[in-house]
Structure formats: structure tokens, C-alpha cells
Amino acid sequence: EAGVTQFPSHSVIEKGQTVTLRCDPISGHDNLYWYRRVMGKEIKFLLHFVKESKQDESGMPNNRFLAERTGGTYSTLKVQPAELEDSGVYFCASSISGTRGEQFFGPGTRLTVL
Amino acid sequence: GENVEQHPSTLSVQEGDSAVIKCTYSDSASNYFPWYKQELGKRPQLIIDIRSNVGEKKDQRIAVTLNKTAKHFSLHITETQPEDSAVYFCAATLGGSQGNLIFGKGTKLSVKP
């Protein structure tokens, strides 16, 4: 069974540009989460989808971040315009229906904003 | 806001020794506590978890203990091996959320052969 996949693995952009990260969860997983780890700090929750609906987006830093999950399958996280402090590793995770199941993480996208 | 404190930030042990990593959480409603291991360049992987109705759980060389009163949980690795070297993250669910996790800052464990 394929695990959670993320694309791209790395992205280097200039401040002010736009970047879109993609996450493909494990097939059949209704729950999809986005997390971010800034260098040397903890992994921080950004938002949670249940199917195509945003269940909780309390962790989104500001309105420069937009997440979507079309049809309840893959998800995208767009940063527009990117700022220096957006640099970090963005992880996606998915879990089966219901609450508090094991979350399977993707390999992450390392975003560097110059 | 709610948080999870993790100590130590780095830990170096000799092969065969035990390693203990400790975490405290602030949200008394948290009821699920997973531990993730992240090897260099790889994704975080769940190694063990515990729910609030259990005080201890063991899986081969790995064990986790939970003290809900003190809001404290720990990871114990016995007979450490070089392949245990990695960054370990503890986490706790955010209150009544459907799985949203609050993570500690991680512990870099080095096991010297």
C-alpha cells in the first residue's frame, strides 16, 4: 500500500513568489492534516480536513496560506505571497475515519524562501 | 495556548544502555499520546502510542508511561542500538479535537557503538 506522498520534496523561491504544495493521502483516509516544522522548533499543526471540509484551520498563520482538498482526495497548500518566515518543512499526514487514529506522515516538503 | 514540553533536547547513550525521554502537556483534555521517530531525511513514523485510559504500554524494547494526574508521559528505550539514533517527537491531542496533535520540540538521540 502506498504511503502518504508529497510534492515537491524541495522548493526554493524568492520572497513574494507563490508556491503550491501537494499532498496525496493514503487511499481511503478521510482525515488529512497539514503541519509545519520551522528550523529547530516543534512540528506545528496548521489545519485538518475531513474529506473535503475544513474541520479546523486554527493553526494557519495568516491569510497568505490557502489549503484546499478537492473532492476529498489530494490536498494543496498555497502560500501567496511567500515571506522569509514561511521557510520550513511542511508535513502532511492522514488517518482513517473516526477520531484519534494513527496519523501517517508524508516525507515533507522543504520550503526555502530567499 | 496549549503546549507540550519535551526533555532533553539531545541525548547521547552507549549502545546497550537505556534512554528515557520525558514530556509534559498542558491540556487536561488530551487523551491520546503518540511518539514519532524521525530518521535523518525521512518522514516521522509512529513507534508507539498510549491512550489516557492506560498507564503503561510496551512493545519489545520500547515502552511508554503516562501519568494523567501530573500530565506527564515518558518514552523508555532499553538495550539501545545504533539504529535507534534519530529525532524523537512526543505529541498530545488538542483537547476534544479529532486528532489534531501538539508536538514537543524533539529529542535528538545518538547511540554510540
Side-chain angles (χ1 to χ4, degrees):
Chain A
E1 177 183 322
V4 177
T5 59
Q6 292 185 244
F7 182 84
S9 57
H10 294 83
S11 181
V12 180
I13 60 173
E14 301 273 337
K15 175 183 172 180
Q17 290 185 320
T18 297
V19 63
T20 300
L21 314 181
R22 173 171 170 144
C23 168
D24 286 78
I26 293 172
S27 178
H29 282 194
D30 288 340
N31 292 301
L32 187 151
Y33 306 85
W34 282 98
Y35 294 91
R36 175 174 73 173
R37 188 181 189 209
V38 174
M39 177 74 78
K41 297 194 174 181
E42 67 269 29
I43 300 171
K44 279 201 163 183
F45 166 78
L46 295 178
L47 88 160
H48 170 207
F49 284 99
V50 177
K51 298 185 180 178
E52 67 275 8
S53 300
K54 291 177 184 175
Q55 182 72 23
D56 183 348
E57 52 185 328
S58 61
M60 295 287 263
N62 50 61
N63 58 10
R64 295 186 293 102
F65 288 74
L66 176 64
E68 295 180 321
R69 190 179 182 192
T70 308
T73 54
Y74 70 91
S75 174
T76 57
L77 179 64
K78 182 193 288 188
V79 184
Q80 179 182 31
E83 298 289 343
L84 300 179
E85 63 264 26
D86 300 332
S87 296
V89 180
Y90 290 76
F91 289 104
C92 173
S94 70
S95 68
I96 60 172
S97 299
T99 60
R100 303 177 185 90
E102 175 183 352
Q103 293 186 27
F104 294 85
F105 276 72
T109 293
R110 181 175 294 278
L111 174 65
T112 302
V113 182
L114 302 176
Chain B
E2 306 296 351
N3 71 323
V4 173
E5 297 284 341
Q6 183 172 348
H7 299 281
S9 56
T10 59
L11 179 60
S12 182
V13 300
Q14 284 296 131
E15 182 177 0
D17 287 350
S18 294
V20 180
I21 302 171
K22 299 181 179 182
C23 290
T24 57
Y25 59 98
S26 59
D27 188 350
S28 56
S30 295
N31 59 7
Y32 173 64
F33 308 90
W35 285 87
Y36 284 84
K37 173 185 180 182
Q38 187 179 19
E39 296 177 74
L40 191 63
K42 297 189 176 181
R43 69 189 69 198
Q45 291 205 308
L46 181 76
I47 55 171
I48 196 167
D49 56 15
I50 191 167
R51 299 186 186 274
S52 58
N53 58 346
V54 176
E56 184 174 0
K57 184 176 178 180
K58 191 173 182 180
D59 183 4
Q60 299 183 338
R61 297 185 297 108
I62 295 173
V64 57
T65 58
L66 172 65
N67 182 331
K68 282 214 76 179
T69 302
K71 289 191 280 188
H72 173 274
F73 59 115
S74 300
L75 177 72
H76 304 253
I77 306 174
T78 58
E79 300 172 27
T80 54
Q81 301 167 2
E83 51 266 37
D84 294 330
S85 297
V87 178
Y88 291 80
F89 294 96
C90 63
T93 46
L94 180 61
S97 72
Q98 294 182 34
N100 303 357
L101 296 175
I102 307 173
F103 283 85
K105 290 188 178 182
T107 296
K108 184 176 181 180
L109 174 64
S110 299
V111 180
K112 299 178 181 178

